[in-house]
Amino acid sequence: MDQIIEAIGRFLGKIFGSSNERIIRKVRRLVEEQVNPLEDKMRALRDEQFREMAAGWRVALKKGERTLDELLPEVFAAVREASRRFTKMRHFDVQLIGGIALHRGNISEMTTGEGKTLVATLPITLNALAGDGVHLVTVNDYLARRDAQWMGPIYHAFGLSVGILNHDVSYLYDPAFNPGPPGGTNCLKPVDKFEAYGADITYGTNNEFGFDYLRDNMKVRKEHQCQRSHAYAIVDEVDSILIDEARTPLIISGAATETKMDYYMRADRVARALRKGEQVKKEEREKISKEEVGTREQDFFVKEKEHQAILTERGILKAQQLLGIEDMYTGENSDWEHYIVTSLKAHHLYKIDRDYIIKDGEIIIVDEFTGRLMPGRRWSDGLHESIEIKEGVTLKKETQTLATITLQNYFRMYKKLAGMTGTAATEAGEFNKIYKVDVIVIPPNKPMRRTNMPDVIYGSEEEKFDAIANEIESIHKDGRPILVGTTSIEKSEYLAKLLKMRGVKHEILNAKHHEREAYIISKAGQMAAVTISTNMAGRGTDILLGEGVPALGGLHVIGTERHEARRIDNQLRGRAGRQGDPGSSQFFLSLEDDLFRKFAPPWFRGFMQKMGLKNGERIESRLVSRSIEKAQKNVEARNFDIRKNLLEYDEIMDRQRNHIYKMRQGLLQGENVKEHILERIRRDFLMNLDRLLPPSDTEAWKPEAFCGHLKFAYGLEGSPEELSKKTPETIEAEIWDKITAVYEKKEQEVGAATMRELERLILLDVIDDKWKDHLYNMDQLRDIIGLRSYAQMDPKLEYKREATSYFQGMEEGIDEDVSRIVFRIRPVQAERKQEEMQKRWQPSEFVKQTMQTIGSGAVGQAAEEAEEEEKLQPIVAGPKTGQNDPCPCGSGRKYKKCCGRSA
């Protein structure tokens, strides 16, 4: 049935055109009929008139006289003319079409070299006129600086300010500040982040925007927050940020209470002593003996596709013997399996010069999608520590989550979201389902002339690299430039050795040589150039062809391995055939490549051999290419399910986070602080009233305990005998009147203004402290919730139920702590307390965490370290009650089990 529907769709598409073609035709008419006729008018303007027009557009928008859509033809025509004058680049009609798609909140897919950076100036200028701020999101700091400075003259012509966010320093584009040619470090004036965000347009990376949002929600004063709004964002390389990095929550962390270095050391020794086997499939287990299963699986086996290491029964017994414990699944030993499995993953799933390098005595992560170094970033859940032990570098402190948000949920906060890339169509369904944006494929300005040659496949990796070296040597003799894409530092350097043995001059571009990136790329299209690169050359770079190169056939791209995602392969291919230039591409594969080992069916190798694949020989077949593409589609679907699963788990956290942040923001703005405080005090009072004097069961009343609680919490005297004679309603009304009287007296002693400020700071401190504990609890819940499936429970439903319960408990804890602290404020110490409580967290570094699965115990990359903040201490009257002392409220329980349970 699906095939019939698909066939009907193709038939109708041939007659009426695809939906994408219909959209392009409609937008093209808008460009030809409304934008292009204004070109002569704009050419007649003086330079200063652009700014005058912009001022008029702003006024019209503010008064509601015109809308952005109504202004679009005029603004786009003006931007094209400004660009022609000040950057010497005139927008093509297809670029105007791409700009309209971006303005309407779509993703523009434009092939490499079509000028996406210039396209963005059209919707950015138009939307910046509204005054809410426009964010242009890039993949790295260099591109944020380059693009803002390159396009700065266009925005400056309309009187629009441009800010740039970088990790270490922020800038404003200012032509008067050291002016010079585009591409240098000129025209960028160092400023603070408030000025960068205060600009009409702000360029920055997804990391900086996301972490600034989290930082802002840890501030104690509104004037310390830098982000203004989330009105409109254009995400450059949108597939990289919203798809590839969607599994990487942004996390701010502080030092944990203890570092279990000895655990990591001992787990590492155990991991080195365990023997690796191979997983025996379920159908095989039924045919062989238990002894043979144990022999083949040894102490543990690794599942590369799932990125897991699994201990066998024999491995568990051996580990317990090596640790000198009886059972590592009970009591204080229950953490050992986690440490050992994490160490096994560090040894067998993470490789040096592929996943990380060692630099200056530190483990530096290599981004799997771009090949770039990620300094400051750490894997979580003990993985980074395990790798540090494995490589013998200094072990750093463990961290604890203080604030977190997924990139998916951060970008879904924008009222209008758009994106651009050269490779988005393969993920169009995910963009629509997750972000509610459509992909519009923009036709190229000139026809594509690149030849994509069929893949060639070899039996072993060694044979493949020998063939690649021979191919490079052969093409190099003709003088054609060659770009070779590799998947890791290790493989790029291996190929470089082979070429050196053959006397082929070449350049290497990987994370170890990233300082020379701009120079290497600038030469990669010259005659006889050979460039070996990791995925670093796949984003944000244009390789210009040297003189005489087009006549030789242009740039030839060689891929040494297929990536799990087709987009990554397409990005590499896209380096050739820019703007109608000639070019070619071809992938060399082997049956030992990761894609084949992890995802190819068992029969594939036999099938290849039947097709004639022998040692040293290759097969070149479009059937092979189609089979590989099908495998990639399956992997992409699986990865989408993982990202969707993560988003579903994060939905409840997102609601909770929004609730907490909205509450904090209200406090920062001074909204009803007194009412908020009294509401929390009342909720805490009623909770204890119901607990000790339950209205539905007078036999269970504990009047002595309730009187003790009144004395401890509010300083009120009470008579158990008098309470026993009254109804619950009377008790509630009378006691609440007394509590509010004590509160009003405290306010008079301290002063209303000082009391409000202290209450605001107390609330912020308690909320942040409880939220931090809640995040820790949620981290633990994610790790173990998958076990509920063994009890025939749905882990997602259980997770939501438990998370809701945790959140309710957190709210009760906030009520209780606020009540205790407010009634212990001393007027003589109010000023000192105010200064004390303003000393908040001062995090120093912010990195990302990649969570591969939730509920399976497999957690990948991690959170950053931050300076540990000074813990706020309430001023408490009277002697301190010990945790194991009887509770002063008279309940008969220990203090830590009663009124001190959340202290």
Side-chain angles (χ1 to χ4, degrees):
M1 189 65 180
D2 291 339
Q3 294 176 341
I4 295 173
I5 294 173
E6 187 176 342
I8 293 173
R10 287 197 299 268
F11 174 72
L12 293 175
K14 289 179 181 178
I15 298 175
F16 301 106
S18 67
S19 60
N20 189 85
E21 290 171 344
R22 293 195 296 272
I23 292 171
I24 294 298
R25 283 200 298 267
K26 188 179 294 185
V27 176
R28 191 184 292 276
R29 282 199 300 271
L30 172 60
V31 170
E32 293 173 349
E33 296 173 5
Q34 297 186 45
V35 180
N36 288 346
L38 296 173
E39 187 161 15
D40 291 340
K41 175 186 174 182
M42 296 303 169
R43 289 207 175 187
L45 295 175
R46 300 187 307 275
D47 290 353
E48 61 270 17
Q49 286 183 283
F50 289 112
R51 186 167 296 207
E52 293 170 5
M53 280 197 309
W57 291 332
R58 284 178 182 264
V59 172
L61 286 170
K62 191 172 183 180
K63 291 182 176 180
E65 296 172 351
R66 301 182 72 181
T67 66
L68 290 176
D69 288 340
E70 291 170 344
L71 285 174
L72 186 148
E74 196 172 348
V75 173
F76 274 36
V79 171
R80 175 156 67 180
E81 175 58 23
S83 178
R84 189 188 67 82
R85 293 188 193 187
F86 304 118
T87 69
K88 309 305 179 187
M89 295 182 289
R90 176 186 175 278
H91 296 78
F92 301 123
D93 283 2
V94 291
Q95 291 176 312
L96 296 177
I97 293 172
I100 292 171
L102 291 175
H103 165 67
R104 292 177 175 176
N106 296 309
I107 291 173
S108 290
E109 180 180 290
M110 306 182 72
T111 55
T112 302
E114 291 296 307
K116 292 187 289 291
T117 304
L118 187 62
V119 170
T121 60
L122 298 159
I124 285 176
T125 303
L126 176 61
N127 285 270
L129 295 171
D132 295 324
V134 176
H135 294 168
L136 192 288
V137 186
T138 67
V139 292
N140 60 55
D141 287 346
Y142 164 73
L143 290 178
R145 293 194 306 273
R146 186 201 72 177
D147 293 353
Q149 184 167 285
W150 192 12
M151 300 295 107
I154 299 174
Y155 305 128
H156 185 70
F158 294 96
L160 298 172
S161 55
V162 184
I164 302 99
L165 302 174
N166 274 186
H167 179 65
D168 298 320
V169 64
S170 297
Y171 304 93
L172 274 181
Y173 173 79
D174 183 358
F177 184 79
N178 187 28
T185 56
N186 50 66
C187 301
L188 298 185
K189 179 182 178 181
V191 296
D192 59 34
K193 279 196 172 178
F194 296 95
E195 288 188 74
Y197 273 111
D200 298 304
I201 303 155
T202 305
Y203 281 71
T205 65
N206 52 304
N207 291 357
E208 287 304 307
F209 283 116
F211 281 127
D212 284 339
Y213 171 73
L214 294 177
R215 292 182 188 111
D216 278 355
N217 284 285
M218 295 173 69
K219 298 290 172 56
V220 294
R221 291 193 177 279
K222 190 176 186 303
E223 56 267 27
H224 295 165
Q225 295 179 316
C226 54
Q227 283 193 352
R228 289 192 295 161
S229 64
H230 297 90
Y232 180 45
I234 297 177
V235 182
D236 192 12
E237 305 297 356
V238 65
D239 55 323
S240 176
I241 292 173
L242 298 189
I243 300 294
D244 294 338
E245 299 192 42
R247 291 183 290 171
T248 57
L250 306 178
I251 293 180
I252 295 177
S253 295
T257 53
E258 62 175 320
T259 299
K260 300 181 179 179
M261 184 172 180
D262 183 56
Y263 279 71
Y264 291 114
M265 298 282 285
R266 292 175 67 188
D268 183 77
R269 289 195 291 269
V270 171
R272 292 175 187 271
L274 298 179
R275 297 182 63 184
K276 180 183 176 182
E278 60 177 1
Q279 183 183 13
V280 178
K281 303 294 183 183
K282 184 179 179 181
E283 55 271 18
E284 292 183 84
R285 287 175 179 270
E286 299 172 354
K287 300 176 182 178
I288 60 179
S289 65
K290 188 175 180 180
E291 290 73 19
E292 187 176 347
V293 171
T295 301
R296 286 175 58 182
E297 292 191 336
Q298 296 291 338
D299 299 324
F300 71 97
F301 57 85
V302 173
K303 298 171 73 174
E304 282 192 83
K305 187 164 68 172
E306 290 80 9
H307 216 70
Q308 293 178 342
I310 310 294
L311 282 171
T312 63
E313 290 184 24
R314 186 162 77 177
I316 293 169
L317 293 173
K318 187 173 181 179
Q320 289 173 169
Q321 184 180 11
L322 291 169
L323 292 169
I325 60 177
E326 290 186 7
D327 187 352
M328 64 180 184
Y329 292 96
T330 59
E332 61 184 13
N333 297 325
S334 58
D335 289 338
W336 273 117
E337 189 209 20
H338 168 74
Y339 284 101
I340 293 169
V341 168
T342 302
S343 187
L344 289 172
K345 289 168 67 176
H347 279 279
H348 299 280
L349 288 171
Y350 291 82
K351 295 181 180 179
I352 192 169
D353 285 344
R354 186 190 72 183
D355 302 296
Y356 62 90
I357 66 169
I358 301 175
K359 185 177 181 181
D360 300 328
E362 290 189 18
I363 301 294
I364 307 295
I365 295 173
V366 177
D367 188 280
E368 65 173 310
F369 298 107
T370 65
R372 299 179 188 277
L373 293 180
M374 306 293 287
R377 177 170 166 179
R378 291 180 65 81
W379 284 299
S380 67
D381 216 28
L383 177 60
H384 207 95
E385 290 81 0
S386 295
I387 292 176
E388 287 172 336
I389 293 291
K390 166 192 169 184
E391 298 293 351
V393 303
T394 303
L395 187 69
K396 292 189 175 181
K397 288 183 178 180
E398 286 185 292
T399 59
Q400 179 179 341
T401 301
L402 303 179
T404 179
I405 190 171
T406 63
L407 286 173
Q408 291 165 315
N409 280 320
Y410 174 73
F411 282 106
R412 293 202 304 180
M413 290 193 301
Y414 283 89
K415 295 176 184 175
K416 184 164 67 172
L417 180 66
M420 50 189 184
T421 181
T423 49
T426 57
E427 311 290 353
E430 181 166 353
F431 282 122
N432 183 267
K433 289 180 182 177
I434 303 298
Y435 303 101
K436 309 302 181 188
V437 295
D438 294 322
V439 175
I440 308 298
V441 181
I442 310 299
N445 184 52
K446 295 180 181 179
M448 172 69 69
R449 294 173 58 194
R450 184 182 68 239
T451 302
N452 296 327
M453 301 162 64
D455 298 345
V456 293
I457 186 167
Y458 290 84
S460 69
E461 190 170 68
E462 184 179 355
E463 292 170 353
K464 177 185 73 174
F465 275 105
D466 283 339
I468 292 171
N470 292 334
E471 182 85 353
I472 293 171
E473 186 177 16
S474 174
I475 296 175
H476 178 65
K477 291 177 182 177
D478 298 330
R480 281 188 71 186
I482 303 167
L483 174 67
V484 187
T486 61
T487 56
S488 69
I489 298 171
E490 178 185 23
K491 291 178 181 178
S492 67
E493 294 184 342
Y494 174 72
L495 181 57
K497 289 180 182 178
L498 295 180
L499 293 183
K500 188 176 182 181
M501 291 169 59
R502 288 166 168 79
V504 177
K505 188 178 179 181
H506 59 275
E507 291 279 3
I508 304 178
L509 176 57
N510 60 34
K512 289 185 176 180
H513 305 87
H514 65 94
E515 296 88 354
R516 301 177 62 240
E517 179 178 355
Y519 172 79
I520 293 172
I521 288 296
S522 69
K523 301 295 183 183
Q526 302 301 308
M527 190 79 74
V530 177
T531 308
I532 304 171
S533 174
T534 56
N535 289 335
M536 291 177 71
R539 289 288 188 187
T541 55
D542 283 335
I543 298 176
L544 303 179
L545 300 185
E547 186 177 350
V549 171
L552 296 174
L555 179 70
H556 181 61
V557 172
I558 294 177
T560 61
E561 196 168 328
R562 286 284 202 147
H563 198 275
E564 290 182 9
R566 288 169 292 166
R567 290 175 296 101
I568 308 300
D569 296 339
N570 292 338
Q571 288 156 18
L572 179 60
R573 279 200 174 107
R575 299 303 102 199
R578 175 186 177 274
Q579 274 288 345
D581 287 337
S584 57
S585 68
Q586 189 168 36
F587 279 81
F588 285 67
L589 315 174
S590 83
L591 296 180
E592 294 178 350
D593 291 350
D594 288 346
L595 188 66
F596 287 109
R597 287 191 302 101
K598 293 180 183 179
F599 303 105
W603 53 264
F604 191 80
R605 179 182 286 270
F607 174 71
M608 288 290 99
Q609 290 171 345
K610 286 181 181 179
M611 289 185 65
L613 182 63
K614 300 176 182 177
N615 290 339
E617 294 185 358
R618 76 183 197 179
I619 284 182
E620 184 172 331
S621 169
R622 297 211 178 264
L623 174 62
V624 174
S625 300
R626 286 196 295 270
S627 300
I628 292 167
E629 189 169 324
K630 184 177 180 181
Q632 289 176 310
K633 287 181 180 178
N634 292 335
V635 177
E636 288 166 2
R638 172 179 169 272
N639 289 338
F640 170 57
D641 287 340
I642 292 174
R643 291 189 290 266
K644 186 178 178 183
N645 185 55
L646 285 170
L647 188 62
E648 288 173 354
Y649 272 101
D650 194 56
E651 278 178 353
I652 188 166
M653 269 297 298
D654 191 50
R655 289 197 294 270
Q656 293 174 354
R657 176 174 46 247
N658 290 338
H659 176 80
I660 290 293
Y661 285 179
K662 183 178 180 181
M663 187 195 310
R664 284 188 97 263
Q665 198 63 28
L667 292 171
L668 295 187
Q669 294 171 352
E671 296 176 359
N672 305 319
V673 175
K674 181 175 181 179
E675 290 83 349
H676 196 137
I677 286 284
L678 286 172
E679 176 61 25
R680 289 197 173 275
I681 292 172
R682 181 170 178 80
R683 284 207 304 257
D684 181 63
F685 160 65
L686 293 176
M687 183 184 71
N688 284 285
L689 180 65
D690 290 343
R691 178 170 62 88
L692 298 174
L693 302 178
S696 60
D697 185 7
T698 55
E699 297 295 325
W701 277 26
K702 299 177 181 177
E704 294 84 2
F706 184 70
C707 289
H709 168 73
L710 293 178
K711 176 68 175 177
F712 175 74
Y714 315 110
L716 293 174
E717 298 291 344
S719 168
E721 293 77 15
E722 291 295 324
L723 287 175
S724 301
K725 300 175 183 177
K726 298 177 181 178
T727 64
E729 293 76 13
T730 303
I731 295 172
E732 177 184 335
E734 291 181 355
I735 299 297
W736 179 245
D737 287 343
K738 292 180 180 180
I739 291 172
T740 52
V742 173
Y743 174 85
E744 297 295 341
K745 183 179 179 182
K746 179 73 66 177
E747 182 182 62
Q748 292 174 5
E749 292 174 352
V750 176
T754 303
M755 188 75 169
R756 293 295 85 76
E757 178 64 7
L758 283 170
E759 287 174 338
R760 188 179 68 84
L761 293 169
I762 288 169
L763 262 173
L764 288 171
D765 181 54
V766 174
I767 289 170
D768 289 346
D769 192 48
K770 296 299 182 185
W771 178 242
K772 178 185 71 174
D773 292 343
H774 179 67
L775 292 176
Y776 175 79
N777 292 333
M778 294 296 285
D779 284 344
Q780 305 306 306
L781 179 62
R782 275 195 296 265
D783 284 344
I784 59 92
I785 199 65
L787 299 176
R788 301 287 177 91
S789 61
Y790 293 110
Q792 305 301 311
M793 298 179 181
D794 184 341
K796 288 180 186 176
L797 293 178
E798 289 297 302
Y799 179 80
K800 291 178 180 179
R801 186 181 63 80
E802 293 279 2
T804 301
S805 175
Y806 284 2
F807 193 75
Q808 290 172 347
M810 182 198 73
E811 286 277 19
E812 291 175 1
I814 293 173
D815 295 344
E816 185 174 7
D817 280 14
V818 166
S819 296
R820 304 295 176 272
I821 297 172
V822 165
F823 284 93
R824 283 162 175 75
I825 294 174
R826 296 179 182 177
V828 294
Q829 293 178 313
E831 186 176 342
R832 179 175 64 83
K833 183 64 177 174
Q834 186 172 354
E835 294 175 0
E836 231 175 67
M837 298 184 81
Q838 290 185 71
K839 294 179 181 178
R840 306 293 298 162
W841 296 316
Q842 299 294 327
S844 59
E845 293 181 358
F846 302 81
V847 295
K848 294 185 291 184
Q849 168 186 8
T850 299
M851 300 180 66
Q852 290 155 356
T853 57
I854 288 182
S856 66
V859 179
Q861 300 173 358
E864 60 198 288
E865 287 195 52
E867 296 175 9
E868 190 170 8
E869 79 275 10
E870 183 175 340
K871 182 77 172 70
L872 305 183
Q873 299 295 332
I875 301 171
V876 180
K880 184 177 179 180
T881 304
Q883 289 291 305
N884 292 309
D885 293 343
C887 188
C889 76
S891 65
R893 292 183 291 179
K894 291 181 179 181
Y895 175 65
K896 67 181 182 182
K897 297 291 186 181
C898 188
C899 295
R901 66 180 183 272
S902 59

